Amino acid sequence: MKKRNTPLSFVVHLSLITLILAGLMLFHPASADAQAPYKIGVTNSVTGYAAGLGASSKNGIIMAVDEINKKGGIGGHKLELVMYDNRSDDSTAVLNARKLIEADKVDALIVGAYSGACFASLDTAERSKIPMFSISAGTKLWKPTRPYSFCVVPSGEILERVRARWIKEKGYTRVAELWLNVPAHEEYIGFFAQEAKNFGLTVVANEQHKANDTDMSVHLSKIVAAKPDIIKVSDYAHTGAIIAKNAKSLGINIPFLACYAVTGEVWLNLAKDAAEGWYGAVVSHQLGTQTPPWRPTYPIVAAFAESYHKRFGESITATSGNSYDSAYLIAAGLKAVGEEPDLARRREKLRYTIENLENFFCLNGPYYMSSNNHNGTGEWAISIVKIVNGKMVLQ
Amino acid sequence: MLLAQCVVIGIVNGCIYILAALGWMIVFNVTRVLNFTQGEFVMLGGMIAVTAVAMGISPPVAFLIAIIITTLMGCIVERAVINTLRKAPDTTLMIATIGASLSMRIGALMIWGWEPRDLAPFTQGKPISFFGAAIVPQAFWVIGATLLLVAGLFCFYQYSLLGKALTATSIDQEAARLMGINPSKMSIIAFALASGLGAMGGILVTPIIMTSFDTGVMISVKALVAAVIGGFKPRGVLIVALTIGLIENIVAGFISSGWRDIVSLTIMVLILIILIPRLVSVKG
């Protein structure tokens, strides 16, 4: 007897086929997701007072991700960037971080490019159990160690040890501090006070100013009255240029030693001849093609500097390099994780693999991450330069 | 030396605030609207001048171009925002100017990027020593130009028919209308004056403080404080703007930069309570 095709049997057949297909998908989730990209969430200061840092940070991340994707991504997965502007505002940075974690479901976060945004976002990342890379020199961002917080920027602690040692070696003893009041720079002052004791230096003046100050002549006049041997500047490029110009106007002949957030192309373009003779502590990769060829980082730094200049028409900065390294460390961590379809488990494994990256080589030299060191850099990542004819010359 | 330096920098800063605060005052008196694009006119003046000079145009011509373009922008803002929404409540108009200000700032960011720009001082030369304070030649330009502009504005309001028409509109718009004065025309003239003044301020200060897409914000906030505490009256605005510049630098010099805004604004409020009623007559 021939079986009749009723509407009921059609529905039953269709349901069976759907169930079989669903079952196949359930037992082969990895194959279905094989090409799904890994997402890196970025909340950066593209506008606002820290826009200078944010713009180069963004460029560094874009470069790293494009390079990785051109090489085929990570185990077949492309890297995808989800980027928001935090407008140099701490609250916006936190909101962006939450949006990236909860709505965009990113694998890891990069927060920058100023200390306030990074410190504000720390708790959100820790609570959400997602690896977060800070683009700021704040040592407290990674020390004491928090499970999910990483920061590859050579920290204030390292910076101040290098600056104090160099000041001592030059034979200066009386040091004046002039700094922009942001959390990272406040840390610098504390670290330098410790290092000053270790190296027998005396801090004879301590002047701070705000981001919207337009003239620092008054601060400099107070510093000069304290008769320092050297003036240590912890600032940003724009305000650092105002300081250089003010110092030139006041005819100050005392040497200046700036930090890496000041010393760079933007500052040199703004300060022009007022920058002549200044010393600057730079993140070593800022030397770009001027990096001494004997340094192990020379090939990677020179290649990065050239490609960066070709693509963005500007020189590399400390921030662009640190952001580039952060993206590469995330990629290295994801590669070590391998296939893990569950996002929460992938984030947890990523935290673990980054923490265990040892002798991972990038722009800042080798990184030695461990469970009690989420920074991984050392004094080798900082160099002292002098501005001669508008160029940075290694000292 | 320190006090002299504080006073010199204070006067220069005060002059910058005066130019921006007069812009706030001119527009408010005619339209009764707080025009939040005032700071952007300062930014635009500086940015356009820097761009024109970078294109090889001689500085005086470049400055003139910057003033003309910024003045035109002022007129466009007036027509697009104030005139279009003229029947809306004052609060709506104020919020609309905040929107226009944000648009201008983002536009500037898109055109010029985030990087601060610099302009060479109008005259080269070494700083001049005055009671131990170093005064850069550009400071004389800022102070001199501010004095000239304030004097010119005074003469314009006092002796020209247009100036008197603006004064009449600011006192009583309806009465002015009955006398044949067109308030809409006065509104656009007020915006042209305010934006032109802002542009001049921007050009004058760029060699000292440089300029970037968000330069206008920090200047206009202090200028607004000066305009409000000065009661939107010329004498009050001049005194308050100059005093803010002086106090904030003396506080930065003798106390700390961190206390600058708190102390200077507290002192300004005290001045408002105690002195301003005596300095500025109720009738203006």
Side-chain angles (χ1 to χ4, degrees), chain A residues 53 154 159 258-268 280-291 295 297 301-302 304-305 315-322 363-364 381-383 385 392 394:
Chain A
L53 298 169
L159 169 73
C259 68
Y260 43 59
V262 172
T263 321
E265 194 180 62
V266 175
W267 174 68
L268 285 170
V282 294
V283 177
S284 299
H285 66 245
Q286 279 181 268
L287 290 166
T289 49
Q290 290 180 59
T291 303
R295 283 194 177 174
T297 49
V301 171
F304 171 66
S315 296
I316 54 170
T317 61
T319 316
S320 61
N322 292 323
L363 295 176
N364 282 339
I382 297 196
S383 303
V385 297
M392 293 190 280
L394 185 65

Side-chain angles (χ1 to χ4, degrees), chain B residues 48-105:
Chain B
I48 297 168
V50 170
T51 311
V53 169
M55 287 164 71
I57 299 169
S58 74
V61 179
F63 300 161
L64 194 65
I65 291 171
I67 294 166
I68 291 169
I69 295 177
T70 311
T71 307
L72 282 173
M73 274 303 293
C75 297
I76 291 169
V77 169
E78 196 280 337
R79 285 294 104 171
V81 180
I82 306 297
N83 194 52
T84 311
L85 301 170
R86 62 186 179 279
K87 285 177 183 162
D90 289 350
T91 324
T92 309
L93 284 167
M94 190 181 79
I95 292 167
T97 67
I98 294 173
S101 161
L102 274 173
S103 306
M104 287 165 79
R105 209 175 309 148

Side-chain angles (χ1 to χ4, degrees), chain B residues 157-232:
Chain B
Y157 271 94
Q158 204 69 23
Y159 303 114
S160 77
L161 201 61
L162 201 56
K164 285 177 179 171
L166 277 170
T167 311
T169 312
S170 65
I171 294 168
D172 190 331
Q173 215 175 79
E174 285 311 307
R177 197 193 297 270
L178 290 172
M179 300 305 290
I181 299 167
N182 182 353
S184 172
K185 195 177 157 192
M186 292 303 112
S187 171
I188 199 166
I189 290 168
F191 264 83
L193 268 175
S195 51
L197 269 178
M200 285 181 225
I203 296 165
L204 284 165
V205 299
T206 299
I208 299 177
I209 67 169
M210 291 171 255
T211 187
S212 62
F213 74 96
D214 58 354
T215 294
V217 182
M218 59 183 180
I219 294 174
S220 71
V221 169
K222 295 280 171 64
L224 174 62
V225 172
V228 171
I229 297 181
F232 291 99

Side-chain angles (χ1 to χ4, degrees), chain A residues 52 55 210 213 219 222 245 249, chain B residues 109 114 118 127 253 257 260-261:
Chain A
K210 294 162 89 174
D213 279 350
H219 306 76
K222 284 171 82 177
K245 286 184 169 191
S249 301
Chain B
L109 177 68
W114 61 268
D118 199 12
S257 240
R260 196 187 62 176
D261 290 341

Side-chain angles (χ1 to χ4, degrees), chain A residues 161-172:
Chain A
R161 197 176 309 133
V162 172
R163 287 210 276 190
R165 178 174 291 125
W166 182 85
I167 289 169
K168 181 70 180 173
E169 282 169 5
K170 292 290 271 184
Y172 303 129

